[in-house]
Each structure stands twice: as C-alpha cells, then as structure tokens.
Amino acid sequence: MLIPLVQGIRKFAMSAAQKPQIVFVLGAPGSGKGTICKNIVENYKFIHLSAGDLLREEQNTEGSEHGDMIKEYIKLGKIVPVEITCGLLKKAIEKSGASRFLVDGFPRNQNNLDGWEKVMSQCVDVKFVLFLDCSEEVCTERCLNRGAQGSGRTDDNLDSLKKRFNTYSNETMPIIKYYEGKGMVERVDSNRTLPEIFEDIKKIFTPFISQS
Ligand SMILES: Nc1ncnc2c1ncn2[C@@H]1O[C@H](COP(=O)(O)OP(=O)(O)OP(=O)(O)O)[C@@H](O)[C@H]1O
Ligand SMILES: O=c1ccn([C@@H]2O[C@H](COP(=O)(O)O)[C@@H](O)[C@H]2O)c(=O)[nH]1
Ligand SMILES: [Mg+2]
C-alpha cells in the first residue's frame, strides 16, 4: 500500500506550483480542535481536514477493506496505522488542490509522524502546530455532553474516553513535545470560552497569513 502512496504524491508534487502549507491542530479529545478549525476556516483561507472524520467516513464506506478495523480502533481509542490515515489525508489534499490545510488530530503518535514524514515531507510544508491545551476534566465533560446531545460517536462515553486520554498522554503528547523542541508549537489555552480562544487564534493566524 505504501508504494502507490509515494508514487501518487510525487506526481502531485511535480504538478504543484507551490507546496501546500499545513498547520497541524493537536490537543486532547474534546479540547475543541473541530470547533476552532471551523472558526479558522470562517476567517482565513484554509481547508479543514479532520483525520478522525476521514476515518469515520472510511469506516462507513460500503466495501471498505479497513472499515471493521477502524471501527474497533476508534472505540478503543487506539491509533489507526499511518498507511490508512495518511492515505486518506493525501487523497483529500490532492482532491482539494487548495494551498492551505488545517490537519486536525494528526499526527497522533510516532508511527503517524514517521509515515507522514516518509511520504509527505517533500511535497508539503508543515508551518506549525496549533496545540489546544485543555484539562482532562473539561475535555471529558465536553465529550460526554457531545454524546448526550446525540453526536452518534461510539467513543463519547466514559469507558472510551479513559482509553483515549491514555493514548493522548502516552502517544500524542510526545509528538507535541517533539514539535515544541523544534520551536514549532503555538499553544492556546482552550479551557476558556470560545470568544477568548478566538482572540488568541487571531493573534496567531493574522500575522501568519500576512507573512506567508
Ligand atoms: N471553548 C469551548 N467551550 C465550551 N464548549 C466547547 C468549547 N470548545 C468546544 N466545545 C464543545 O465541546 C465539544 C468538543 O469539541 P470539538 O468537537 O471541537 O473537540 P475535538 O477536539 O475536535 O474533539 P475530538 O478529539 O473528540 O474530535 C463540542 O460539543 C463543542 O461544541
Ligand atoms: O490520525 C488519527 C486520527 C484519529 N484516529 C482515531 O479516531 C479517533 C477519533 O479521532 P478524533 O480526532 O477524536 O475525531 C481516535 O481516538 C483514534 O481512534 C486515528 O487513529 N488516527
Ligand atoms: Mg474532532
């Protein structure tokens, strides 16, 4: 599966006038990644790609060879192998043809990072990581509310949330630290109200857009 993925991206890279710019959006489950990305898209020229949404879509695609595996991984809060997730992201980036993307909820572990770098690093330009920093307590309450309001997500329950937080602490935090070490992390306290968060988002994205 990895070989056609690499070939496809090379073809894409050759035809692109400029490398697409990528901002990774990371944070705990329920930290507000999807909500904040929606706000960014309303105010700045970005395409929002949620890795979780792409996986849920794939899971529900009739005849998908990965559907059952994705379903199981999501319920257990485990990270799906990068070949699948990166393949879906690559396809969405190519299809869109846009120049700026918010990649929400990826890379989530070392396997994701290695796979992304192997396949995408030559063809896209990762500008920075937006890190939505939010306490487990606040995040849990938000996800449980989202479940109670009928999200339909199989992982908006206490049992799955415990597992998702474990995965986040053990596997995703080291990736955020890795980017921090490279001076690439913009941290926003997302325990606060949306207007407060959006003020900080403006301070990050307005200069970024005017400089790039
Ligand atoms: N700052 C906030 N204050 C109050 N509620 C919020 C805030 N940000 C997001 N929410 C709500 O919390 C829930 C989770 O938000 P969202 O879906 O954006 O998080 P997420 O990080 O994408 O979560 P996941 O990782 O589970 O996909 C949603 O119901 C959303 O409306
Ligand atoms: O890169 C990714 C992104 C997500 N997953 C799986 O999906 C769920 C839900 O993701 P959300 O971002 O919360 O929508 C996540 O817990 C993982 O099981 C993944 O494997 N890889
Ligand atoms: Mg989300």
Side-chain angles (χ1 to χ4, degrees), residues 1-15:
M1 167 144 200
L2 213 51
I3 293 164
L5 192 71
V6 173
Q7 284 170 347
I9 261 298
R10 282 212 185 107
K11 203 164 78 192
F12 163 62
M14 281 193 288
S15 61

Side-chain angles (χ1 to χ4, degrees), residues 33-34 50 53 56 104 146 153:
K33 300 180 293 296
S50 156
D53 285 351
R56 281 183 284 273
D104 159 358
R146 187 174 59 185
R153 286 182 56 152

Side-chain angles (χ1 to χ4, degrees), residues 58-120:
E58 177 67 18
Q59 171 200 293
N60 295 327
T61 301
E62 217 183 287
S64 163
E65 57 174 315
H66 306 300
D68 290 343
M69 189 237 237
I70 295 172
K71 200 176 196 168
E72 189 65 11
Y73 271 56
I74 288 182
K75 204 166 169 203
L76 296 173
K78 283 169 54 179
I79 310 302
V80 172
V82 69
E83 288 79 4
I84 297 172
T85 317
C86 197
L88 294 170
L89 286 168
K90 173 206 160 255
K91 206 161 94 183
I93 290 170
E94 282 183 352
K95 191 176 164 199
S96 148
S99 58
R100 285 198 192 103
F101 296 89
L102 298 167
V103 173
D104 159 358
F106 180 95
R108 265 177 140 98
N109 65 3
Q110 194 62 46
N111 165 266
N112 280 184
L113 181 59
D114 292 345
W116 169 273
E117 288 193 337
K118 189 168 174 184
V119 173
M120 305 290 278

Side-chain angles (χ1 to χ4, degrees), residues 25-37 48 50 52-53 56 104-105 108 132 134 138-139 141-147 149 151 153 155-156 161 164 189-198:
V25 182
L26 293 175
S31 56
K33 300 180 293 296
T35 307
I36 305 299
C37 285
H48 172 210
S50 156
D53 285 351
R56 281 183 284 273
D104 159 358
R108 265 177 140 98
L132 301 179
C134 195
V138 170
C139 287
E141 194 188 326
R142 286 183 190 165
C143 289
L144 291 178
N145 277 341
R146 187 174 59 185
Q149 283 165 15
S151 69
R153 286 182 56 152
D155 56 355
D156 276 343
L161 279 165
R164 292 166 71 194
D189 176 359
S190 69
N191 290 289
R192 298 171 297 162
T193 66
L194 289 170
E196 286 171 319
I197 298 169
F198 295 156

